[in-house]
Amino acid sequence: MSTHSVEDIKRGSARLRGTLLQSLADPVTGALREDDQTLIKYHGSYQQDDRDRREERRLAKLEPDYAFMIRTRTPGGVITPAQWLKLDAIATTYAERGLRITTRQTFQLHGVIKRALKPTLQAINAALIDTLAACGDVNRNVVIAANPLQSGAHASVHAQAAALSEHLLPNTRAYHETWLDEERVASSGSEDEPILGNNYLPRKFKIGFAIPPYNDVDAHAQDLGFIAILEGRELRGYNVSVGGGMGASHGDPETYPRLGDVIGFITPDRLTALAVAVVTTQRDHGNRVVRKRARLKYTIDDRGLDWFKAEVERRAGFALEPARAFRFEHNGDRFGWVDGEDGRSHLTLRIPAGRIQDDESVDRDDARHLTGLRRIANHLLDADSLTHFRLTPNQNLVIAGVSQAQRARIDMLVAQYGLDTHRSASPLRLNALACVALPTCGLAMAEAERYLPDLLVKVETLLDRHGLRDAPIHLRVSGCPNGCSRPYLGEIALVGKAPGRYNLMLGADHRGQRLNTLYRENIDEPTMLAALDPLFARYAAERTNAEGFGDFLLRSGVVPLSIARSTSIAIEVLP
């Protein structure tokens, strides 16, 4: 690994350029130079290798099987049918395993080799999509409530969020010079970064916009959450939540997941100023010495919420108003067709672990998700501009703005290609999340995406035994404690510790307003199933009407009340 710290690399990078051009031109290795492996993240890519092949390659005296993951920047996950088809073609040409929807409403492409990086990124830009700031110590892709547009207020929230995403982008031209062959100008290498600063942010920064009563973005898991306050069809403003974050390290009490605190209310016209004030406060006061303590949640805990709020108000130039009442009902997606107020309809499809690919080993249409969605996108090319795709923060897909004349054809294609699994899937299956994990993620300690299908079958078997097939339980699996699948907000969560071994976390609610807690540490699958079985039996026998599994575990004392209070009640604002 590089002997330089991340802060040193950023400082000496000439605004994120480093020696990327030289690394890309080196034909001897499939890897980048060590410092450039850090810098390419700011351009939307991670260097990875196939961990399934590491030993085989080592024995053959070959370097690891290096390839790159590329992540798009798509605020709110909105994609036109034409853009969908272009991304499909890019993935088919340059990547492996199709397209993947992430929990931040982006696409990831995996397995892009070094010599294909530039053509892939150029093709993505030709689709009027970019990857700038999709990774790295910057504001990441802004997530926005994906429940279909049904009013002018929803459209206003999306427009403000998308504009904020643009406002917080880096000013450096490094991306355009490196990948798009734009000429260097006089300021190249020393561009002014008035918001992000010369060294960018201390760590990644995440923003989410929720529209109650749905919390599909898990607003309290964001560094900065905006909770829309609507009166009828009018957007009155936003409650502001700060200090959320899912990342942690096993065995290190200095790191932990945290839910954001609601600090007040702002009107829509003050959104940009408030966001800039929060970002710059973290820029100037975040921990740049101990990287694992560099997220905003630790800045707030180290300095105090009152100090942080006062500093943000000073920088913004106004005081926040008292938070307004709101209520979240759940943090999942609504599946199937939903009719909008404007006569348009919106279809939410379940995409297991967000993976869109064809199973070429099975000779039937219902295993060809990539092909099926390609057919739907082609059909929608001739539709009006209101019809589009929308990625959800729960790794699912909305076909939005569909006219009544188009519905029958879409229903036919959905059925033909087996995309209607939401009709028969259990609530457990519908709401399950998993990160990529092995074989490509370098941080993964255990399986997640590849393990999820088998895990669901085994947990469903237990639920069937106790008559709980229709219980709306949220299950999340993460290959490591960094929390990309937001596992600490799952009623049941597995957090990887080692191959085949996980921490079993229990007790979150289904509204995204309470963290779970450790129930069993470093256990294998039989032990995990044996631990869940008696809890399901108790839940079936003792639950109250409409009581969620996590709420039951809290009420029955399985999850300590003291832990739940410290992470939830302080941030709930209810009517």
Side-chain angles (χ1 to χ4, degrees):
M1 294 299 295
S2 174
T3 58
H4 300 138
S5 72
V6 173
E7 291 298 313
D8 289 338
I9 293 170
K10 289 186 289 185
R11 186 180 302 109
S13 70
R15 296 294 191 269
L16 306 179
R17 290 168 174 82
T19 57
L20 271 169
L21 290 175
Q22 293 90 325
S23 282
L24 292 168
D26 184 355
V28 176
T29 175
L32 302 177
R33 298 177 183 180
E34 290 179 342
D35 287 1
D36 293 332
Q37 293 172 33
T38 293
L39 295 178
I40 198 171
K41 296 175 184 179
Y42 299 79
H43 300 248
S45 180
Y46 278 77
Q47 179 178 299
Q48 301 176 331
D49 73 282
D50 187 341
R51 293 173 61 180
D52 287 346
R53 301 191 63 199
R54 277 185 182 177
E55 183 62 12
E56 166 197 338
R57 301 276 295 183
R58 186 188 68 81
L59 293 174
K61 301 187 185 307
L62 298 172
E63 71 175 8
D65 187 13
Y66 291 118
F68 294 81
M69 178 274 285
I70 296 174
R71 182 182 296 154
T72 63
R73 184 181 65 87
T74 46
V78 174
I79 300 289
T80 68
Q83 288 173 320
W84 183 282
L85 291 171
K86 290 177 181 178
L87 288 172
D88 176 324
I90 292 165
T92 304
T93 303
Y94 297 112
E96 297 176 350
R97 301 179 66 203
L99 294 165
R100 188 178 192 276
I101 300 172
T102 77
T103 55
R104 294 206 65 76
Q105 296 179 299
T106 65
F107 280 117
Q108 285 186 179
L109 290 77
H110 294 94
V112 179
I113 59 175
K114 189 172 78 171
R115 67 173 176 269
L117 264 175
K118 190 168 184 176
T120 304
L121 288 167
Q122 289 181 337
I124 291 172
N125 274 266
L128 303 181
I129 298 170
D130 64 60
T131 67
L132 175 62
C135 317
D137 297 345
V138 288
N139 177 56
R140 302 285 187 90
N141 193 60
V142 174
V143 295
I144 310 168
N147 290 305
L149 301 176
Q150 295 189 48
S151 68
H154 284 70
S156 296
V157 171
H158 187 276
Q160 281 207 291
L164 181 61
S165 174
E166 294 295 318
H167 189 75
L168 297 178
L169 281 176
N171 283 337
T172 176
R173 290 176 48 81
Y175 181 87
H176 305 84
E177 293 171 7
T178 303
W179 309 108
L180 307 181
D181 295 328
E182 293 189 8
E183 293 184 3
R184 290 177 64 90
V185 297
S187 64
S188 291
S190 59
E191 295 94 333
D192 185 29
E193 294 284 6
I195 298 175
L196 298 177
N198 295 338
N199 253 34
Y200 300 91
L201 302 182
R203 284 298 294 266
K204 60 187 174 184
F205 193 92
K206 298 181 177 181
I207 297 177
F209 285 73
I211 304 177
Y214 305 105
N215 188 22
D216 53 337
V217 305
D218 277 329
H220 296 299
Q222 313 294 328
D223 292 272
L224 175 57
F226 291 104
I227 302 166
I229 303 300
L230 307 183
E231 292 182 5
R233 299 183 181 183
E234 296 296 321
L235 173 65
R236 296 303 183 191
Y238 303 91
N239 281 352
V240 179
S241 172
V242 294
M246 293 286 98
S249 298
H250 286 312
D252 186 352
E254 292 295 306
T255 67
Y256 43 82
R258 185 187 191 278
L259 293 185
D261 296 285
V262 173
I263 59 172
F265 171 86
I266 58 168
T267 52
D269 59 302
R270 290 180 162 178
L271 179 126
T272 300
L274 187 283
V276 170
V278 172
V279 170
T280 58
T281 299
Q282 167 63 358
R283 178 198 69 196
D284 295 341
H285 295 283
N287 193 327
R288 292 184 183 267
V289 177
V290 183
R291 188 163 171 80
K292 67 181 180 180
R293 294 275 303 177
R295 289 291 296 274
L296 176 62
K297 59 184 176 180
Y298 302 120
T299 306
I300 291 174
D301 284 350
D302 289 344
R303 292 180 173 266
L305 186 63
D306 290 343
W307 172 89
F308 183 82
K309 179 182 177 183
E311 179 65 14
V312 167
E313 290 177 331
R314 183 187 71 79
R315 292 178 183 231
F318 56 82
L320 281 79
E321 300 176 30
R324 300 195 180 182
F326 71 95
R327 185 179 185 87
F328 285 136
E329 293 179 358
H330 66 81
N331 60 349
D333 291 332
R334 294 176 293 172
F335 293 92
W337 286 103
V338 176
D339 294 328
E341 298 169 351
D342 57 358
R344 298 277 171 161
S345 298
H346 318 283
L347 175 63
T348 301
L349 301 175
R350 170 183 169 264
I351 308 294
R355 184 68 67 178
I356 300 170
Q357 62 182 341
D358 286 349
D359 186 348
E360 301 295 350
S361 66
V362 181
D363 186 20
R364 65 172 190 266
D365 283 345
D366 64 5
R368 297 171 63 81
H369 297 162
L370 192 66
T371 300
L373 289 167
R374 184 184 304 145
R375 290 281 306 277
I376 290 172
N378 270 305
H379 170 69
L380 295 177
L381 277 179
D382 295 329
D384 56 65
S385 61
L386 295 179
T387 307
H388 61 278
F389 294 98
R390 183 172 292 241
L391 317 180
T392 85
N394 292 308
Q395 301 178 300
N396 297 307
L397 179 68
V398 181
I399 304 173
V402 177
S403 69
Q404 295 304 307
Q406 297 163 338
R407 278 188 59 161
R409 176 64 175 170
I410 290 176
D411 276 336
M412 185 195 75
L413 292 170
V414 164
Q416 178 181 350
Y417 289 96
L419 300 174
D420 54 355
T421 56
H422 60 278
R423 297 179 182 275
S424 57
S426 68
L428 181 84
R429 196 170 287 265
L430 287 176
N431 291 304
L433 298 181
C435 66
V436 173
L438 298 171
T440 53
C441 178
L443 299 176
M445 301 174 179
E447 296 280 3
E449 179 187 327
R450 296 195 298 191
Y451 177 42
L452 184 63
D454 288 342
L455 174 65
L456 287 170
V457 170
K458 292 171 182 178
V459 176
E460 283 175 336
T461 299
L462 292 182
L463 293 173
D464 287 342
R465 179 184 301 169
H466 301 291
L468 295 171
R469 166 69 70 150
D470 294 329
I473 297 174
H474 288 193
L475 168 70
R476 298 180 177 185
V477 186
S478 179
C480 80
N482 287 283
C484 292
S485 57
R486 304 193 296 276
Y488 307 108
L489 287 170
E491 292 178 287
I492 302 171
L494 299 182
V495 178
K497 285 275 288 187
R501 305 191 72 87
Y502 299 85
N503 284 352
L504 174 60
M505 315 289 294
L506 298 176
D509 63 10
H510 60 270
R511 298 175 292 277
Q513 292 180 284
R514 184 175 67 241
L515 294 175
N516 54 29
T517 189
L518 179 63
Y519 184 70
R520 294 286 186 271
E521 186 173 7
N522 195 23
I523 60 175
D524 58 13
E525 181 185 88
T527 307
M528 177 268 296
L529 295 174
L532 290 175
D533 192 31
L535 297 179
F536 289 157
R538 287 189 60 187
Y539 179 50
E542 302 172 23
R543 61 179 168 163
T544 62
N545 184 42
E547 184 176 32
F549 183 59
D551 294 337
F552 166 77
L553 295 176
L554 178 66
R555 179 176 62 81
S556 62
V558 174
V559 172
L561 181 62
S562 60
I563 294 177
R565 277 182 171 159
S566 69
T567 57
S568 173
I569 294 176
I571 58 88
E572 275 192 290
V573 179
L574 302 178

